Amino acid sequence: MPLVLQPPEPNKGDLESLLFALKENKDWFEQMIINNSAVLLRGYNVEKAEDFNEIIEIFGWEEIHYVGPAPRTHVYKRVLTANEGPLSEFIYYHHEMVLIKECPNKVIFFCEIPPPEGGETPFVPSFRVTERMLEEFPEAVEKIEEKGIKYTFTAPSKNDTSSMRGRGWENTFGTSDCAEAERRANALGMDLEWLPNGAVQATLGSRSLTKVFDGRKGRRMWFNTVVGMHGKEHSSAMMADGTELPEHVVKRCEEIIEEESIQFKWEKGDVLFFDNMALLHARRPSLPPRRVLVAITK
């Protein structure tokens, strides 16, 4: 992983040839994403957001509006920036929009400017985390699964790019009207509590610990963000009945995820497709500049 697809000949790396090949092989390519969980296009002349958008639109996949804590900027049509939080921070492993009822099937990245050092996007086969957690903590895993998980997080009113979780609620819900924000949050499975400083605390529950998706060999995916939100300054994760999660179980899960991670180093022009149902992904700290763009789809 990932499956790497490169130009068949040196003179076949132009964008037009790539778009033609993708158009002629759409069904095969989509099946490769499911079969391999990650597919990389490397060595093609993909230079800017407009080129990346053309690749995305070839497939006709339905776009999904991003809902989450990461500060992002709309760049062009279906293209957004990846998390704009400080490059010095590690962004923890996650399935994109894992807590939202309608999360994306695919996350597609494009590297416009690779970092001079660091900035890898490691990823993890999610089923391996479930397998290892069941080996080490079978009773705890099944107990948490049975009770479900409740999450909370706090979002400021406006975007704060000094934090990797600094996306404001106005940007998240596409409105500055509190009543409308509540309506949209409820539709996504969230309850909101307004704070005196203009921020909002969102509560999401009950969510499952693992999930099985069609076409993924019956594998049980570690489809949660327990490690990423448990015991953090602006977020929490606990069992749905309010029982605290065992600290040693969460800590060991963090270690297992890192042990199972596959490192991916960016090159300019890379386009990387992830099966969001099957992979967790992260971002390692880097030196600037680093510019990676993203699209999320069904």
Side-chain angles (χ1 to χ4, degrees):
M1 297 168 71
L3 173 68
V4 183
L5 301 178
Q6 296 176 296
E9 302 170 21
N11 64 340
K12 293 289 187 180
D14 61 285
L15 183 63
E16 294 277 332
S17 296
L18 173 60
L19 294 175
F20 178 79
L22 292 175
K23 187 175 181 179
E24 292 295 303
N25 297 278
K26 286 192 289 187
D27 293 342
W28 174 84
F29 191 90
E30 184 158 13
Q31 193 59 49
M32 288 303 98
I33 298 173
I34 294 174
N35 290 353
N36 297 277
S37 300
V39 176
L40 171 66
L41 297 176
R42 173 166 283 176
Y44 293 93
N45 296 331
V46 186
E47 297 181 350
K48 54 188 184 296
E50 291 82 356
D51 300 341
F52 179 44
N53 187 74
E54 283 198 69
I55 292 171
I56 302 306
E57 292 194 340
I58 281 285
F59 294 99
W61 296 325
E62 187 176 340
E63 184 178 9
I64 286 187
H65 173 70
Y66 174 72
V67 177
R72 300 178 187 265
T73 301
H74 178 256
V75 178
Y76 178 78
K77 291 189 176 179
R78 303 179 63 155
V79 180
L80 307 171
T81 56
N83 192 319
E84 295 179 353
L87 291 176
S88 58
E89 292 189 34
F90 174 65
I91 297 174
Y92 195 71
Y93 297 94
H94 59 284
H95 290 276
E96 200 66 44
M97 292 171 54
V98 66
L99 301 182
I100 306 303
K101 290 180 178 179
E102 189 176 42
C103 67
N105 286 38
K106 304 170 192 71
V107 181
I108 309 105
F109 295 99
F110 161 57
C111 182
E112 191 171 43
I113 303 174
E117 182 180 320
E120 296 89 354
T121 296
F123 55 91
V124 178
S126 193
F127 78 95
R128 283 291 300 142
V129 183
T130 306
E131 287 180 346
R132 292 190 58 187
M133 288 295 289
L134 283 169
E135 288 170 5
E136 296 191 28
F137 307 103
E139 292 181 4
V141 169
E142 298 303 353
K143 180 180 179 181
I144 297 168
E145 188 74 273
E146 180 183 348
K147 291 191 173 187
I149 309 168
K150 177 173 69 176
Y151 300 91
T152 67
F153 70 88
T154 302
S157 175
K158 307 292 184 183
N159 283 0
D160 176 12
T161 55
S162 68
S163 168
M164 65 179 182
R165 290 184 171 272
R167 193 172 195 224
W169 64 262
E170 293 183 17
N171 189 254
T172 296
F173 299 117
T175 180
S176 59
D177 180 81
C178 294
E180 179 61 19
E182 285 198 44
R183 188 189 70 77
R184 296 180 185 183
N186 292 161
L188 294 167
M190 303 182 197
D191 293 317
L192 301 184
E193 178 185 346
W194 300 98
L195 304 179
N197 63 357
V200 66
Q201 184 178 74
T203 300
L204 305 92
S206 166
R207 299 295 194 269
S208 60
L209 187 70
T210 65
K211 283 189 178 182
V212 177
F213 298 100
D214 290 343
R216 276 76 176 181
K217 303 178 182 178
R219 289 168 167 169
R220 194 171 166 187
M221 305 301 181
W222 191 254
F223 210 71
N224 65 76
T225 184
V226 164
V227 176
M229 293 182 69
H230 178 262
K232 301 299 190 292
E233 182 180 359
H234 298 296
S235 66
S236 69
M238 63 188 70
M239 293 187 220
D241 64 0
T243 305
E244 289 294 330
L245 297 168
E247 187 72 36
H248 71 288
V249 173
V250 177
K251 180 63 178 175
R252 179 59 185 141
C253 181
E254 181 176 8
E255 294 171 351
I256 287 172
I257 290 173
E258 188 60 60
E259 288 167 8
E260 292 293 331
S261 67
I262 297 167
Q263 308 311 306
F264 178 77
K265 186 175 180 61
W266 291 104
E267 293 185 11
K268 182 176 175 58
D270 281 350
V271 179
L272 180 61
F273 297 74
F274 279 162
D275 178 359
N276 191 48
M277 307 290 99
L279 294 180
L280 303 115
H281 66 275
R283 186 197 74 186
R284 298 212 182 278
S286 77
L287 295 177
R290 179 188 190 272
R291 184 169 168 86
V292 174
L293 305 181
V294 68
I296 54 177
T297 74
K298 287 190 176 179

